[in-house]
Amino acid sequence: MSSLMSLSSQRGLVVCAAVFFLTTLVACSESPAPQEPLRSVKLLTVSAGALGFEGLYAAEVRARVESRLGFRVGGKLVQRPAEIGQRVASGQLLAVLDAQDFVLSAQAAQAQVTAAQSQRDLAAADFKRYEALRSQNFISGAELERREVGLKSAEAALNQAKAHAQAQSNQVGYARLTASHAGVVTAIEAEVGQVVSAGQVLVRLAHDGPRDAVFSVSESAMGDMQVGQALQATVLSTGQTVQGTVREMAASADPVTRTYLVKLALSKGEALPLGATLNVRAASLAGRGGAQAWAIKLPTSALRQEGQGTAVWVFDEASMTVNSQTVELGPVDGNEVVITSGLQPGQHVVSAGVHVLSPGQKVMVYKADAKARGLSPAIANAATSGPLAAPAAAPVPAAALVPASPR
């Protein structure tokens, strides 16, 4: 009897252990991954639109002529009366070098002139005596010619000494830097006590007189501007309107910004302060050569960063999925960016919520979008009419977009 009870208890223990083991396996098994939600997206159809070149360009008022002044000799700067913003007259003193060495050199050169003058006077008197002796046939003609050559040599030495003395005297004058024209000092690039070299720029002087508005334009706008074209500008601080004429256009693009510098000659702009900001309104430009320019443009909300480039989500109607497509960016046109390559007209691109999608992800099309884009009836019937499953991401600023390859 006791053996039967012992056997029964052993069986019970085995059953309990098996139940515990199965329960543990069930508890430790991985739960199925939650299914990714089917997101609803808004689409836009890629198409070529007209480029609008009309707009405002921020310009800066500059003097038409600006001199970069420096000493013609090197030395230690001992005085600098000029200050930034100071209005100076023509010939006004701007800076002074230590001229002690130049003065000593000038004195030495003057002493050489005195010595050369003495040698020339002695040679002249000697030639005069020998000339009298030759007239009395006491000396030969060859001897007189030697005295004449000695006189000419002494005169040449005297002229050389005088020229050297004048050059050294000029060096003393070069130690004083004066304003070449009346104007305004716009920059100071040396301080008292500094040793400067010959030709080093110390003072920048904006000449009084005509003023220019200087601004940069893109290559597309550059093609429709021409010298002599009339433009209108507005002073940002006062609202004053001034007229101008395109005076100069850069022959090549800036290597960094890839824009072209334009100088607008301002009519009656002499009273405008240097450095003032103007808004130059360009006339309505049709496009290069007078023909309307067309390009693919997308809003910044459709663009996203991918590595070192920029990409968009292209919608595949057959599989109802989105795929990443790298694009190259062109200039900004208003609130849109020109796409130079990577897309073809007729493709459908996701215009909102681009930062919550992944390659190959299945999506639903917003119902109003499906009908507007002319998608197949099956897709339009299956499209959602409610709010988007994911909020739209904030638009990417145009300045933050990085082209996929340098332009």
Side-chain angles (χ1 to χ4, degrees), residues 267-315:
S267 175
K268 301 180 180 179
E270 292 81 359
L272 295 177
L274 294 174
T277 302
L278 300 178
N279 285 334
V280 179
R281 182 177 298 278
S284 181
L285 304 175
R288 183 176 295 277
Q292 184 66 54
W294 297 83
I296 294 176
K297 298 182 292 184
L298 291 180
T300 57
S301 60
L303 306 175
R304 62 184 181 85
Q305 296 297 314
E306 185 176 84
Q308 296 298 319
T310 306
V312 298
W313 293 114
V314 177
F315 174 72

Side-chain angles (χ1 to χ4, degrees), residues 307-329:
Q308 296 298 319
T310 306
V312 298
W313 293 114
V314 177
F315 174 72
D316 184 6
E317 184 178 351
S319 61
M320 293 293 292
T321 59
V322 290
N323 299 297
S324 181
Q325 175 63 50
T326 302
V327 295
E328 293 186 7
L329 305 183

Side-chain angles (χ1 to χ4, degrees), residues 103-129:
V103 172
L104 293 177
S105 297
Q107 292 175 353
Q110 189 60 43
Q112 292 177 356
V113 171
T114 303
Q117 181 72 46
S118 300
Q119 292 294 329
R120 186 263 180 197
D121 293 344
L122 180 60
D126 200 19
F127 174 75
K128 186 176 181 179
R129 287 194 301 271

Side-chain angles (χ1 to χ4, degrees), residues 357-384:
L357 300 177
S358 58
Q361 181 177 349
K362 284 187 172 293
V363 295
M364 291 188 301
V365 182
Y366 189 54
K367 191 170 185 178
D369 251 14
K371 294 181 179 179
R373 305 300 165 193
L375 299 178
S376 63
I379 294 179
N381 293 334
T384 177

Side-chain angles (χ1 to χ4, degrees), residues 122-321:
L122 180 60
D126 200 19
F127 174 75
K128 186 176 181 179
R129 287 194 301 271
Y130 274 82
E131 190 176 29
L133 292 174
R134 178 69 185 89
S135 63
Q136 300 174 11
N137 292 323
F138 287 121
I139 60 172
S140 64
E143 185 65 24
L144 181 62
E145 289 177 359
R146 282 195 294 269
R147 300 301 172 180
E148 185 179 6
V149 170
L151 174 60
K152 291 181 178 178
S153 178
E155 289 178 345
L158 175 60
N159 293 334
Q160 181 181 8
K162 287 181 177 180
H164 181 64
Q166 184 62 47
Q168 293 300 320
S169 177
N170 291 342
Q171 298 285 316
V172 177
Y174 294 155
R176 295 171 60 86
L177 181 64
T178 58
S180 57
H181 296 80
V184 178
V185 177
T186 59
I188 298 290
E189 301 185 11
E191 298 296 335
V192 173
Q194 182 176 344
V195 177
V196 298
S197 59
Q200 179 179 340
V201 177
L202 272 71
V203 178
R204 295 190 181 188
L205 179 67
H207 296 192
D208 289 341
R211 296 286 188 258
D212 288 342
V214 180
F215 59 99
S216 298
V217 299
S218 63
E219 183 177 359
S220 55
M222 181 73 171
D224 288 282
M225 284 190 177
Q226 57 184 355
V227 175
Q229 181 177 356
L231 298 177
Q232 189 179 65
T234 304
V235 182
L236 189 61
S237 59
T238 63
Q240 176 188 355
T241 300
V242 292
Q243 303 296 327
T245 305
V246 176
R247 182 179 67 85
E248 182 180 321
M249 300 170 63
S252 60
D254 184 275
V256 178
T257 62
R258 307 306 303 168
T259 56
Y260 293 80
L261 194 68
V262 178
K263 293 183 179 180
L264 185 71
L266 299 176
S267 175
K268 301 180 180 179
E270 292 81 359
L272 295 177
L274 294 174
T277 302
L278 300 178
N279 285 334
V280 179
R281 182 177 298 278
S284 181
L285 304 175
R288 183 176 295 277
Q292 184 66 54
W294 297 83
I296 294 176
K297 298 182 292 184
L298 291 180
T300 57
S301 60
L303 306 175
R304 62 184 181 85
Q305 296 297 314
E306 185 176 84
Q308 296 298 319
T310 306
V312 298
W313 293 114
V314 177
F315 174 72
D316 184 6
E317 184 178 351
S319 61
M320 293 293 292
T321 59

